[in-house]
Amino acid sequence: MAMNKRTLESRNVKMSARGVKVFYGENEALHGIDIDILENEVIAFIGPSGCGKSTFLRCLNRMNDTIAGARVEGQIALDGNDIYDPSLDVVLLRAQVGIVFQKPNPFPKSIYENIAYGPRLHGLARRRAELDDIVESSLRRAGLWDEVKDRLDQPGTGLSGGQQQRLCIARTIAVSPEVILMDEPCSALDPIATGKIEQLIDELSESYTIVMVTHNMQQAARVAHKTAFFHLGDLVEMGDTDDIFTNPREQRTHDYITGRFG
Ligand SMILES: Nc1ncnc2c1ncn2[C@@H]1O[C@H](COP(=O)(O)OP(=O)(O)OP(=O)(O)O)[C@@H](O)[C@H]1O
């Protein structure tokens, strides 16, 4: 079982959802999701294709706002504050709740500029030296500094796939997030690069709350403290990862983890 899991009982709720429904036009893709995500928790969303994992993940930083025809109902809070409040600054929200996608998507800029862009946008550095510090510390936290420190002016797109994904994680870290969302962050990577990202997720959970979608049940078992099983737009069951995989309460969860349906 996974690396270095810590007891989570006494932690604060970082994000909560109540009665969250998502519609794409007439189609109701999520039927009322309730969940509490605790501080510094790594939680994995698993479930068959099309069950709504990515849709729900995107609700957590209002990425569904960018999809024409998508509509969200219900409540989602970050530290108790409604993230769908009309007066909320969505750009700031997406810094607080960053997202890393399936396919690494560095900007077509230098490694340095990939990291410096967000802190500049959010006014996090007043001087070049401060920006340099943020770039270095973000790359260090993402486990990439030693590999790129001598070529910060080279294009981010010239890195390997695994390095590009760590660059995208560093870019997310650079704007001081509270929560990092990851939508199948390893599905485009080879096993060695995947192992590095999984190790990194474990380290990052010391500082951030991490919510990841994964198709890979072994990956959920390796890295997640909690696992939530989605099916046909419902959150069927959530619990400690060990319990979900060894002793699920619901028949549908049991059937999925034993491979009875995909
Ligand atoms: N942009 C969109 N427009 C219309 N319908 C969508 C859109 N995105 C998702 N859906 C629909 O919403 C439902 C849930 O999809 P979603 O991608 O969230 O599932 P998922 O569990 O993440 O699947 P996968 O594991 O294949 O990525 C599906 O029926 C899907 O067809």
Side-chain angles (χ1 to χ4, degrees):
M1 200 68 228
M3 339 160 196
N4 189 21
K5 289 203 186 133
R6 286 157 287 121
T7 338
L8 292 160
E9 277 70 38
S10 57
R11 306 205 173 183
N12 298 324
V13 174
K14 185 47 105 177
M15 295 198 81
S16 63
R18 292 293 177 269
V20 171
K21 295 184 176 182
V22 177
F23 300 85
Y24 294 108
E26 295 294 298
N27 176 34
E28 186 177 311
L30 289 177
H31 307 314
I33 305 297
D34 297 328
I35 197 171
D36 285 331
I37 297 166
L38 304 185
E39 203 166 40
N40 299 95
E41 180 166 84
V42 180
I43 179 164
F45 294 168
I46 63 166
S49 193
C51 65
K53 307 177 295 290
S54 300
T55 294
F56 185 64
L57 194 78
R58 288 195 299 264
C59 289
L60 297 175
N61 73 346
R62 293 185 52 174
M63 289 296 288
N64 288 318
D65 290 12
T66 63
I67 298 176
R71 182 164 57 86
V72 179
E73 282 182 8
Q75 275 125 36
I76 301 184
L78 171 67
D79 292 325
N81 300 312
D82 176 13
I83 66 165
Y84 283 82
D85 185 322
S87 67
L88 184 109
D89 177 348
V90 180
V91 174
L92 186 60
L93 172 70
R94 293 195 189 127
Q96 290 172 312
V97 185
I99 189 161
V100 174
F101 295 98
Q102 187 167 0
K103 196 165 166 286
N105 59 346
F107 303 135
K109 291 171 181 283
S110 69
I111 293 167
Y112 185 97
E113 286 301 324
N114 261 276
I115 311 298
Y117 178 83
R120 248 196 229 112
L121 180 73
H122 292 281
L124 299 181
R126 276 161 303 168
R127 282 184 290 279
R128 174 72 187 210
E130 283 176 6
L131 199 55
D132 289 352
D133 283 348
I134 293 174
V135 169
E136 178 172 343
S137 65
S138 304
L139 287 167
R140 281 191 187 281
R141 294 195 110 168
L144 193 57
W145 175 250
D146 288 337
E147 290 160 65
V148 301
K149 62 176 191 271
D150 300 322
R151 48 173 169 150
L152 294 175
D153 56 344
Q154 308 272 307
T157 48
L159 298 171
S160 74
Q163 288 172 326
Q164 287 187 27
Q165 197 60 307
R166 280 181 281 142
L167 183 67
C168 292
I169 292 171
R171 184 174 70 186
T172 304
I173 291 172
V175 290
S176 304
E178 312 258 334
V179 181
I180 304 177
L181 311 177
M182 298 188 176
D183 196 350
E184 299 194 45
C186 303
S187 63
L189 305 181
D190 65 42
I192 291 176
T194 295
K196 285 189 183 163
I197 300 277
E198 290 182 1
Q199 176 71 42
L200 183 58
I201 289 170
D202 193 55
E203 289 163 16
L204 293 175
S205 73
E206 303 277 339
S207 312
Y208 312 101
T209 301
I210 297 177
V211 188
M212 69 183 305
V213 168
T214 178
H215 263 119
N216 181 330
M217 285 192 269
Q218 285 78 20
Q219 178 165 69
R222 284 193 297 266
V223 305
H225 307 119
K226 297 258 183 73
T227 294
F229 170 61
F230 285 76
H231 187 226
L232 299 175
D234 290 314
L235 172 50
V236 175
E237 172 167 7
M238 179 179 94
D240 288 347
T241 296
D242 300 304
D243 292 339
I244 293 290
F245 286 109
T246 57
N247 194 17
R249 292 186 304 270
E250 301 290 331
Q251 187 64 37
R252 276 197 283 175
T253 316
H254 179 265
D255 289 350
Y256 182 68
I257 61 167
T258 55
R260 213 159 289 172
F261 63 89

